[in-house]
Amino acid sequence: MKNWEALQAECMDCRKCALAETRHNVVFGTGNPNAEVMFIGEGPGEQEDLKGEPFVGRAGKLLDDMLEIIDLDRSKIYITNMVKCRPPQNRDPLNVEQEACIGYLRNQVAIIRPKIIVCLGRIAAMKLIKEDFKITKEHGQWVEKAGVQMTAMYHPAALLRNPGWRPAAFEDLKSLQAKIKEICTRTY
């Protein structure tokens, strides 16, 4: 297994798929690389691609607001995506693109060793929890995989498009807050 700096350097130079041709920046992730809680989205959007950081556009602002509700901030967690380069027009990452990037994500998880992984949206949940994951039916449910507690929430961009899902998202946040209090040893 690589160390954090070597992994990040390799990822920044990646040319494993066609997304490398259209990206402005590789979006490796941000936050605490020793976090007990890790959030994983599907892929960078336009603002993320321009700034090189995940969740910095409108969806990122909503994510910050969601974290604030449960007394979390970016400095205490780690946030990344399934794919590290923006898919054109923010389309869902193709399987070949996900496969090209999955090694980076697996190494990030192996180095960080989080106790909790929160998948933001169905794409991440389908890759990390189960292939036929249904976000509208299974959001907020907890599963354990390899000793890690995992759940999925609506992606903040989906909440911007579907404000009626916000009450369910709030319940999922409260469930996350309870799980953090239950299994995390650091003060959040």
Side-chain angles (χ1 to χ4, degrees), residues 41-54:
E42 60 188 51
E46 180 179 20
Q47 292 305 308
E48 291 77 11
D49 181 39
L50 292 172
K51 294 183 178 161
E53 288 185 38

Side-chain angles (χ1 to χ4, degrees), residues 12-182:
M12 294 303 198
D13 290 334
C14 181
R15 312 241 12 107
K16 291 180 182 177
C17 78
L19 294 180
E21 304 307 315
T22 56
R23 72 178 179 224
H24 288 93
N25 287 292
V26 172
V27 182
F28 187 70
T30 189
N32 181 353
N34 297 307
E36 291 180 298
V37 181
M38 189 171 183
F39 282 71
I40 302 172
E42 60 188 51
E46 180 179 20
Q47 292 305 308
E48 291 77 11
D49 181 39
L50 292 172
K51 294 183 178 161
E53 288 185 38
F55 291 92
V56 294
R58 286 180 58 231
K61 172 69 173 109
L62 180 55
L63 178 60
D64 290 344
D65 293 346
M66 292 166 65
L67 295 173
E68 189 176 323
I69 287 170
I70 59 170
D71 300 319
L72 278 182
D73 65 62
R74 288 175 181 252
S75 68
K76 297 181 179 174
I77 62 174
Y78 195 80
I79 304 172
T80 192
N81 283 300
M82 293 289 309
V83 298
K84 310 305 186 190
C85 299
R86 179 186 181 210
Q89 288 79 51
N90 293 347
R91 66 160 166 71
D92 291 346
L94 303 174
N95 284 337
V96 68
E97 295 160 352
Q98 292 180 44
E99 287 305 313
C101 265
I102 196 69
Y104 299 123
L105 181 63
R106 285 185 180 130
N107 277 288
Q108 285 176 306
V109 171
I111 293 169
I112 293 172
R113 298 179 56 215
K115 292 183 177 180
I116 296 172
I117 291 177
V118 179
C119 297
L120 293 171
R122 70 178 172 81
I123 299 293
M126 288 170 64
K127 191 70 168 180
L128 300 175
I129 296 176
K130 66 178 189 169
E131 285 184 29
D132 62 347
F133 193 92
K134 305 285 187 245
I135 192 76
T136 55
K137 291 183 168 68
E138 298 174 280
H139 67 87
Q141 296 177 15
W142 290 93
V143 297
E144 183 178 326
K145 291 183 85 174
V148 178
Q149 292 293 318
M150 300 180 73
T151 190
M153 297 180 164
Y154 288 116
H155 193 287
L159 294 173
L160 290 171
R161 290 188 305 270
N162 303 287
W165 291 351
R166 288 187 182 198
F170 179 76
E171 292 304 317
D172 294 347
L173 286 169
K174 296 310 271 183
S175 172
L176 172 60
Q177 185 178 41
K179 187 64 75 174
I180 289 170
K181 287 180 179 173
E182 176 189 336

